[in-house]
Short mmCIF file of all heavy atoms in Angstrom, two decimals:
data_model
loop_
_atom_site.label_atom_id
_atom_site.label_comp_id
_atom_site.label_asym_id
_atom_site.label_seq_id
_atom_site.Cartn_x
_atom_site.Cartn_y
_atom_site.Cartn_z
N HIS X 1118 37.92 2.24 -19.30
CA HIS X 1118 36.69 1.99 -18.54
C HIS X 1118 36.39 0.49 -18.44
O HIS X 1118 36.00 -0.01 -17.36
CB HIS X 1118 35.52 2.71 -19.21
CG HIS X 1118 34.20 2.48 -18.55
ND1 HIS X 1118 33.89 2.95 -17.29
CD2 HIS X 1118 33.09 1.81 -18.98
CE1 HIS X 1118 32.66 2.58 -16.97
NE2 HIS X 1118 32.16 1.90 -17.98
N LYS X 1119 36.59 -0.26 -19.51
CA LYS X 1119 36.36 -1.71 -19.48
C LYS X 1119 37.35 -2.41 -18.55
O LYS X 1119 36.98 -3.34 -17.82
CB LYS X 1119 36.45 -2.28 -20.89
CG LYS X 1119 35.28 -1.91 -21.79
CD LYS X 1119 33.98 -2.45 -21.22
CE LYS X 1119 32.80 -2.06 -22.07
NZ LYS X 1119 31.51 -2.56 -21.49
N LEU X 1120 38.59 -1.96 -18.54
CA LEU X 1120 39.58 -2.58 -17.65
C LEU X 1120 39.27 -2.28 -16.19
O LEU X 1120 39.48 -3.14 -15.31
CB LEU X 1120 40.99 -2.09 -18.03
CG LEU X 1120 41.49 -2.53 -19.41
CD1 LEU X 1120 42.85 -1.93 -19.69
CD2 LEU X 1120 41.56 -4.06 -19.50
N LEU X 1121 38.77 -1.09 -15.90
CA LEU X 1121 38.37 -0.77 -14.52
C LEU X 1121 37.17 -1.62 -14.09
O LEU X 1121 37.07 -2.05 -12.93
CB LEU X 1121 38.03 0.71 -14.42
CG LEU X 1121 39.21 1.69 -14.53
CD1 LEU X 1121 38.72 3.13 -14.54
CD2 LEU X 1121 40.20 1.47 -13.38
N GLN X 1122 36.26 -1.87 -15.01
CA GLN X 1122 35.13 -2.76 -14.70
C GLN X 1122 35.62 -4.17 -14.39
O GLN X 1122 35.09 -4.85 -13.49
CB GLN X 1122 34.15 -2.79 -15.87
CG GLN X 1122 33.30 -1.55 -16.00
CD GLN X 1122 32.29 -1.65 -17.11
OE1 GLN X 1122 32.34 -2.58 -17.93
NE2 GLN X 1122 31.36 -0.71 -17.18
N SER X 1123 36.60 -4.64 -15.11
CA SER X 1123 37.15 -5.97 -14.83
C SER X 1123 37.83 -6.01 -13.47
O SER X 1123 37.77 -7.03 -12.76
CB SER X 1123 38.14 -6.37 -15.93
OG SER X 1123 39.25 -5.47 -15.94
N GLN X 1124 38.46 -4.91 -13.04
CA GLN X 1124 39.04 -4.87 -11.69
C GLN X 1124 37.97 -4.99 -10.62
O GLN X 1124 38.12 -5.74 -9.64
CB GLN X 1124 39.82 -3.55 -11.51
CG GLN X 1124 41.18 -3.53 -12.15
CD GLN X 1124 41.91 -2.22 -11.85
OE1 GLN X 1124 41.31 -1.22 -11.50
NE2 GLN X 1124 43.23 -2.26 -11.99
N LEU X 1125 36.89 -4.24 -10.79
CA LEU X 1125 35.79 -4.31 -9.81
C LEU X 1125 35.19 -5.71 -9.77
O LEU X 1125 34.90 -6.25 -8.69
CB LEU X 1125 34.72 -3.27 -10.16
CG LEU X 1125 33.53 -3.19 -9.22
CD1 LEU X 1125 33.96 -2.81 -7.82
CD2 LEU X 1125 32.50 -2.18 -9.75
N ALA X 1126 35.00 -6.32 -10.92
CA ALA X 1126 34.47 -7.69 -10.95
C ALA X 1126 35.44 -8.68 -10.32
O ALA X 1126 35.02 -9.67 -9.70
CB ALA X 1126 34.18 -8.10 -12.39
N LEU X 1127 36.73 -8.41 -10.42
CA LEU X 1127 37.73 -9.28 -9.79
C LEU X 1127 37.63 -9.21 -8.28
O LEU X 1127 37.73 -10.24 -7.59
CB LEU X 1127 39.13 -8.87 -10.27
CG LEU X 1127 40.30 -9.77 -9.87
CD1 LEU X 1127 40.12 -11.17 -10.45
CD2 LEU X 1127 41.62 -9.17 -10.33
N TYR X 1128 37.42 -8.03 -7.74
CA TYR X 1128 37.25 -7.90 -6.28
C TYR X 1128 35.96 -8.58 -5.80
O TYR X 1128 35.92 -9.12 -4.69
CB TYR X 1128 37.22 -6.43 -5.88
CG TYR X 1128 38.59 -5.80 -5.75
CD1 TYR X 1128 38.97 -4.73 -6.54
CD2 TYR X 1128 39.51 -6.27 -4.82
CE1 TYR X 1128 40.22 -4.15 -6.43
CE2 TYR X 1128 40.77 -5.70 -4.69
CZ TYR X 1128 41.13 -4.64 -5.49
OH TYR X 1128 42.36 -4.07 -5.36
N ARG X 1129 34.93 -8.55 -6.63
CA ARG X 1129 33.65 -9.13 -6.24
C ARG X 1129 33.51 -10.61 -6.61
O ARG X 1129 32.46 -11.20 -6.37
CB ARG X 1129 32.51 -8.36 -6.93
CG ARG X 1129 32.36 -6.93 -6.46
CD ARG X 1129 31.23 -6.24 -7.20
NE ARG X 1129 31.00 -4.88 -6.71
CZ ARG X 1129 30.10 -4.03 -7.21
NH1 ARG X 1129 29.34 -4.42 -8.23
NH2 ARG X 1129 29.96 -2.82 -6.71
N TYR X 1130 34.52 -11.16 -7.22
CA TYR X 1130 34.45 -12.56 -7.67
C TYR X 1130 33.29 -12.77 -8.64
O TYR X 1130 32.64 -13.81 -8.64
CB TYR X 1130 34.32 -13.50 -6.47
CG TYR X 1130 35.66 -13.93 -5.90
CD1 TYR X 1130 36.52 -13.00 -5.35
CD2 TYR X 1130 36.06 -15.26 -5.93
CE1 TYR X 1130 37.74 -13.38 -4.82
CE2 TYR X 1130 37.29 -15.64 -5.41
CZ TYR X 1130 38.13 -14.70 -4.86
OH TYR X 1130 39.35 -15.10 -4.35
N ASP X 1131 33.06 -11.77 -9.49
CA ASP X 1131 32.00 -11.85 -10.50
C ASP X 1131 32.63 -12.35 -11.81
O ASP X 1131 33.21 -11.58 -12.57
CB ASP X 1131 31.35 -10.49 -10.69
CG ASP X 1131 30.09 -10.57 -11.54
OD1 ASP X 1131 29.81 -11.64 -12.12
OD2 ASP X 1131 29.38 -9.54 -11.63
N ARG X 1132 32.52 -13.65 -12.03
CA ARG X 1132 33.20 -14.26 -13.16
C ARG X 1132 32.69 -13.74 -14.50
O ARG X 1132 33.47 -13.41 -15.40
CB ARG X 1132 33.03 -15.78 -13.09
CG ARG X 1132 33.73 -16.53 -14.20
CD ARG X 1132 33.32 -18.00 -14.18
NE ARG X 1132 33.57 -18.59 -12.87
CZ ARG X 1132 33.21 -19.83 -12.55
NH1 ARG X 1132 32.56 -20.58 -13.43
NH2 ARG X 1132 33.47 -20.31 -11.36
N ALA X 1133 31.39 -13.63 -14.68
CA ALA X 1133 30.82 -13.23 -15.97
C ALA X 1133 31.22 -11.80 -16.33
O ALA X 1133 31.66 -11.52 -17.46
CB ALA X 1133 29.30 -13.37 -15.92
N ALA X 1134 31.06 -10.87 -15.38
CA ALA X 1134 31.41 -9.47 -15.66
C ALA X 1134 32.90 -9.32 -15.91
O ALA X 1134 33.33 -8.52 -16.76
CB ALA X 1134 30.97 -8.59 -14.50
N TYR X 1135 33.73 -10.10 -15.20
CA TYR X 1135 35.18 -10.00 -15.37
C TYR X 1135 35.59 -10.40 -16.80
O TYR X 1135 36.31 -9.66 -17.49
CB TYR X 1135 35.85 -10.89 -14.33
CG TYR X 1135 37.35 -10.98 -14.46
CD1 TYR X 1135 38.17 -9.91 -14.13
CD2 TYR X 1135 37.95 -12.15 -14.90
CE1 TYR X 1135 39.56 -10.00 -14.25
CE2 TYR X 1135 39.33 -12.25 -15.03
CZ TYR X 1135 40.12 -11.17 -14.70
OH TYR X 1135 41.49 -11.27 -14.82
N HIS X 1136 35.15 -11.55 -17.25
CA HIS X 1136 35.53 -12.03 -18.59
C HIS X 1136 34.91 -11.17 -19.69
O HIS X 1136 35.55 -10.93 -20.73
CB HIS X 1136 35.12 -13.48 -18.75
CG HIS X 1136 35.99 -14.45 -18.00
ND1 HIS X 1136 37.23 -14.83 -18.43
CD2 HIS X 1136 35.81 -15.09 -16.81
CE1 HIS X 1136 37.78 -15.67 -17.57
NE2 HIS X 1136 36.93 -15.85 -16.56
N GLN X 1137 33.72 -10.69 -19.50
CA GLN X 1137 33.07 -9.87 -20.52
C GLN X 1137 33.84 -8.55 -20.72
O GLN X 1137 34.07 -8.12 -21.85
CB GLN X 1137 31.63 -9.58 -20.13
CG GLN X 1137 30.86 -8.79 -21.17
CD GLN X 1137 29.43 -8.54 -20.75
OE1 GLN X 1137 29.01 -8.93 -19.67
NE2 GLN X 1137 28.67 -7.91 -21.63
N SER X 1138 34.23 -7.91 -19.64
CA SER X 1138 34.97 -6.65 -19.75
C SER X 1138 36.34 -6.86 -20.39
O SER X 1138 36.77 -6.07 -21.26
CB SER X 1138 35.13 -6.02 -18.36
OG SER X 1138 33.88 -5.76 -17.77
N LEU X 1139 37.04 -7.94 -20.01
CA LEU X 1139 38.35 -8.21 -20.60
C LEU X 1139 38.24 -8.48 -22.10
O LEU X 1139 39.05 -7.97 -22.90
CB LEU X 1139 39.01 -9.39 -19.89
CG LEU X 1139 39.68 -9.11 -18.55
CD1 LEU X 1139 40.28 -10.41 -18.00
CD2 LEU X 1139 40.78 -8.06 -18.69
N MET X 1140 37.28 -9.28 -22.51
CA MET X 1140 37.15 -9.61 -23.93
C MET X 1140 36.76 -8.39 -24.77
O MET X 1140 37.21 -8.24 -25.91
CB MET X 1140 36.10 -10.72 -24.11
CG MET X 1140 36.54 -12.07 -23.55
SD MET X 1140 38.05 -12.73 -24.34
CE MET X 1140 39.30 -12.36 -23.09
N MET X 1141 35.96 -7.50 -24.21
CA MET X 1141 35.62 -6.29 -24.95
C MET X 1141 36.84 -5.40 -25.14
O MET X 1141 37.07 -4.86 -26.23
CB MET X 1141 34.52 -5.53 -24.19
CG MET X 1141 33.99 -4.31 -24.94
SD MET X 1141 33.13 -4.74 -26.48
CE MET X 1141 31.68 -5.56 -25.80
N ALA X 1142 37.66 -5.25 -24.09
CA ALA X 1142 38.88 -4.45 -24.21
C ALA X 1142 39.86 -5.08 -25.21
O ALA X 1142 40.49 -4.38 -26.02
CB ALA X 1142 39.54 -4.31 -22.84
N ARG X 1143 39.97 -6.42 -25.17
CA ARG X 1143 40.87 -7.09 -26.11
C ARG X 1143 40.42 -6.89 -27.55
O ARG X 1143 41.22 -6.66 -28.47
CB ARG X 1143 40.92 -8.59 -25.79
CG ARG X 1143 41.91 -9.38 -26.64
CD ARG X 1143 41.82 -10.87 -26.31
NE ARG X 1143 42.86 -11.61 -26.99
CZ ARG X 1143 42.82 -11.97 -28.28
NH1 ARG X 1143 41.79 -11.60 -29.04
NH2 ARG X 1143 43.83 -12.66 -28.81
N GLN X 1144 39.12 -6.94 -27.82
CA GLN X 1144 38.61 -6.78 -29.17
C GLN X 1144 38.88 -5.37 -29.70
O GLN X 1144 39.27 -5.18 -30.86
CB GLN X 1144 37.09 -7.06 -29.17
CG GLN X 1144 36.46 -6.95 -30.56
CD GLN X 1144 34.97 -7.21 -30.51
OE1 GLN X 1144 34.42 -7.53 -29.45
NE2 GLN X 1144 34.31 -7.10 -31.65
N TRP X 1145 38.70 -4.36 -28.85
CA TRP X 1145 38.94 -3.00 -29.29
C TRP X 1145 40.44 -2.77 -29.58
O TRP X 1145 40.79 -2.09 -30.54
CB TRP X 1145 38.45 -2.02 -28.24
CG TRP X 1145 36.94 -1.94 -28.18
CD1 TRP X 1145 36.07 -2.41 -29.11
CD2 TRP X 1145 36.17 -1.35 -27.14
NE1 TRP X 1145 34.78 -2.17 -28.71
CE2 TRP X 1145 34.79 -1.51 -27.50
CE3 TRP X 1145 36.46 -0.73 -25.94
CZ2 TRP X 1145 33.76 -1.05 -26.71
CZ3 TRP X 1145 35.43 -0.25 -25.15
CH2 TRP X 1145 34.09 -0.42 -25.53
N ILE X 1146 41.30 -3.34 -28.72
CA ILE X 1146 42.74 -3.17 -28.96
C ILE X 1146 43.15 -3.84 -30.26
O ILE X 1146 43.93 -3.30 -31.06
CB ILE X 1146 43.53 -3.74 -27.76
CG1 ILE X 1146 43.31 -2.86 -26.52
CG2 ILE X 1146 45.02 -3.82 -28.08
CD1 ILE X 1146 43.94 -3.43 -25.26
N GLN X 1147 42.64 -5.04 -30.50
CA GLN X 1147 43.02 -5.76 -31.71
C GLN X 1147 42.46 -5.10 -32.97
O GLN X 1147 43.05 -5.20 -34.05
CB GLN X 1147 42.53 -7.21 -31.61
CG GLN X 1147 43.04 -8.12 -32.73
CD GLN X 1147 42.62 -9.56 -32.51
OE1 GLN X 1147 41.88 -9.86 -31.57
NE2 GLN X 1147 43.11 -10.45 -33.35
N THR X 1148 41.33 -4.41 -32.84
CA THR X 1148 40.70 -3.81 -34.02
C THR X 1148 41.31 -2.46 -34.39
O THR X 1148 41.57 -2.20 -35.58
CB THR X 1148 39.20 -3.64 -33.77
OG1 THR X 1148 38.62 -4.92 -33.46
CG2 THR X 1148 38.49 -3.06 -35.00
N TYR X 1149 41.56 -1.62 -33.40
CA TYR X 1149 41.94 -0.25 -33.69
C TYR X 1149 43.43 0.05 -33.50
O TYR X 1149 43.85 1.17 -33.80
CB TYR X 1149 41.12 0.71 -32.81
CG TYR X 1149 39.65 0.67 -33.12
CD1 TYR X 1149 38.76 -0.03 -32.31
CD2 TYR X 1149 39.16 1.32 -34.24
CE1 TYR X 1149 37.42 -0.06 -32.59
CE2 TYR X 1149 37.80 1.28 -34.54
CZ TYR X 1149 36.93 0.60 -33.72
OH TYR X 1149 35.59 0.56 -34.00
N PHE X 1150 44.20 -0.89 -32.97
CA PHE X 1150 45.63 -0.66 -32.79
C PHE X 1150 46.43 -1.60 -33.70
O PHE X 1150 45.93 -2.65 -34.14
CB PHE X 1150 46.03 -0.86 -31.32
CG PHE X 1150 45.50 0.22 -30.41
CD1 PHE X 1150 44.30 0.06 -29.75
CD2 PHE X 1150 46.20 1.40 -30.24
CE1 PHE X 1150 43.81 1.04 -28.92
CE2 PHE X 1150 45.71 2.40 -29.40
CZ PHE X 1150 44.51 2.22 -28.74
N ASP X 1151 47.65 -1.24 -33.90
CA ASP X 1151 48.53 -2.00 -34.80
C ASP X 1151 48.97 -3.28 -34.10
O ASP X 1151 49.75 -3.24 -33.14
CB ASP X 1151 49.73 -1.14 -35.17
CG ASP X 1151 50.60 -1.82 -36.23
OD1 ASP X 1151 50.18 -2.87 -36.77
OD2 ASP X 1151 51.69 -1.29 -36.51
N VAL X 1152 48.47 -4.41 -34.56
CA VAL X 1152 48.80 -5.69 -33.92
C VAL X 1152 50.23 -6.13 -34.26
O VAL X 1152 50.77 -7.05 -33.60
CB VAL X 1152 47.79 -6.77 -34.36
CG1 VAL X 1152 46.40 -6.45 -33.83
CG2 VAL X 1152 47.76 -6.91 -35.87
N GLN X 1153 50.83 -5.51 -35.25
CA GLN X 1153 52.20 -5.86 -35.58
C GLN X 1153 53.20 -5.20 -34.62
O GLN X 1153 54.35 -5.66 -34.51
CB GLN X 1153 52.52 -5.43 -37.02
CG GLN X 1153 51.61 -6.04 -38.07
CD GLN X 1153 51.72 -7.56 -38.11
OE1 GLN X 1153 52.79 -8.14 -37.82
NE2 GLN X 1153 50.63 -8.22 -38.48
N ALA X 1154 52.75 -4.19 -33.90
CA ALA X 1154 53.64 -3.51 -32.96
C ALA X 1154 53.88 -4.38 -31.73
O ALA X 1154 53.01 -5.16 -31.31
CB ALA X 1154 53.05 -2.16 -32.58
N HIS X 1155 55.06 -4.23 -31.12
CA HIS X 1155 55.44 -5.03 -29.96
C HIS X 1155 54.55 -4.70 -28.76
O HIS X 1155 54.14 -5.60 -28.00
CB HIS X 1155 56.92 -4.79 -29.64
CG HIS X 1155 57.39 -5.54 -28.43
ND1 HIS X 1155 57.49 -6.93 -28.43
CD2 HIS X 1155 57.77 -5.12 -27.20
CE1 HIS X 1155 57.93 -7.33 -27.25
NE2 HIS X 1155 58.11 -6.24 -26.48
N GLN X 1156 54.23 -3.42 -28.52
CA GLN X 1156 53.41 -3.04 -27.36
C GLN X 1156 52.00 -3.62 -27.46
O GLN X 1156 51.44 -4.10 -26.46
CB GLN X 1156 53.32 -1.51 -27.26
CG GLN X 1156 54.65 -0.82 -27.03
CD GLN X 1156 55.32 -0.47 -28.34
OE1 GLN X 1156 55.00 -1.04 -29.40
NE2 GLN X 1156 56.29 0.45 -28.28
N THR X 1157 51.44 -3.61 -28.66
CA THR X 1157 50.09 -4.14 -28.83
C THR X 1157 50.04 -5.64 -28.60
O THR X 1157 49.12 -6.17 -27.94
CB THR X 1157 49.57 -3.80 -30.23
OG1 THR X 1157 49.69 -2.40 -30.47
CG2 THR X 1157 48.12 -4.21 -30.39
N SER X 1158 51.01 -6.36 -29.13
CA SER X 1158 51.03 -7.82 -28.95
C SER X 1158 51.22 -8.19 -27.48
O SER X 1158 50.60 -9.14 -26.98
CB SER X 1158 52.15 -8.43 -29.80
OG SER X 1158 53.41 -7.89 -29.43
N GLU X 1159 52.03 -7.43 -26.74
CA GLU X 1159 52.20 -7.71 -25.31
C GLU X 1159 50.92 -7.42 -24.53
O GLU X 1159 50.57 -8.18 -23.60
CB GLU X 1159 53.35 -6.87 -24.77
CG GLU X 1159 54.74 -7.35 -25.19
CD GLU X 1159 55.83 -6.55 -24.53
OE1 GLU X 1159 55.49 -5.54 -23.86
OE2 GLU X 1159 57.02 -6.93 -24.67
N ALA X 1160 50.23 -6.36 -24.88
CA ALA X 1160 48.98 -6.04 -24.18
C ALA X 1160 47.94 -7.13 -24.42
O ALA X 1160 47.24 -7.58 -23.49
CB ALA X 1160 48.45 -4.69 -24.65
N ILE X 1161 47.84 -7.61 -25.67
CA ILE X 1161 46.87 -8.68 -25.95
C ILE X 1161 47.24 -9.96 -25.22
O ILE X 1161 46.38 -10.68 -24.68
CB ILE X 1161 46.78 -8.89 -27.47
CG1 ILE X 1161 46.18 -7.66 -28.15
CG2 ILE X 1161 45.94 -10.12 -27.79
CD1 ILE X 1161 46.17 -7.72 -29.66
N ALA X 1162 48.55 -10.28 -25.16
CA ALA X 1162 48.99 -11.48 -24.44
C ALA X 1162 48.69 -11.37 -22.95
O ALA X 1162 48.29 -12.36 -22.30
CB ALA X 1162 50.48 -11.69 -24.68
N GLU X 1163 48.85 -10.18 -22.36
CA GLU X 1163 48.56 -10.00 -20.93
C GLU X 1163 47.06 -10.14 -20.65
O GLU X 1163 46.67 -10.74 -19.64
CB GLU X 1163 49.05 -8.62 -20.49
CG GLU X 1163 48.95 -8.37 -18.99
CD GLU X 1163 49.88 -9.27 -18.18
OE1 GLU X 1163 50.89 -9.75 -18.74
OE2 GLU X 1163 49.57 -9.50 -16.99
N ILE X 1164 46.23 -9.65 -21.55
CA ILE X 1164 44.78 -9.80 -21.36
C ILE X 1164 44.39 -11.27 -21.46
O ILE X 1164 43.55 -11.76 -20.68
CB ILE X 1164 44.03 -8.95 -22.41
CG1 ILE X 1164 44.22 -7.46 -22.11
CG2 ILE X 1164 42.55 -9.30 -22.42
CD1 ILE X 1164 43.58 -6.55 -23.14
N ASP X 1165 45.00 -12.02 -22.40
CA ASP X 1165 44.71 -13.45 -22.51
C ASP X 1165 45.13 -14.19 -21.24
O ASP X 1165 44.45 -15.13 -20.80
CB ASP X 1165 45.42 -14.03 -23.73
CG ASP X 1165 44.84 -13.49 -25.03
OD1 ASP X 1165 43.67 -13.03 -25.01
OD2 ASP X 1165 45.55 -13.50 -26.05
#
Side-chain angles (χ1 to χ4, degrees):
H1118 178 67
K1119 289 298 179 182
L1120 293 177
L1121 290 175
Q1122 285 183 349
S1123 63
Q1124 281 184 339
L1125 182 61
L1127 188 61
Y1128 278 119
R1129 294 179 176 178
Y1130 271 64
D1131 190 351
R1132 181 189 304 174
Y1135 175 72
H1136 285 282
Q1137 183 179 2
S1138 300
L1139 280 180
M1140 291 299 102
M1141 185 65 68
R1143 184 184 187 281
Q1144 181 181 357
W1145 287 346
I1146 291 174
Q1147 188 175 4
T1148 302
Y1149 295 102
F1150 290 94
D1151 186 8
V1152 294
Q1153 302 298 330
H1155 179 67
Q1156 297 90 340
T1157 307
S1158 60
E1159 286 185 353
I1161 294 175
E1163 186 66 23
I1164 291 176
D1165 292 338

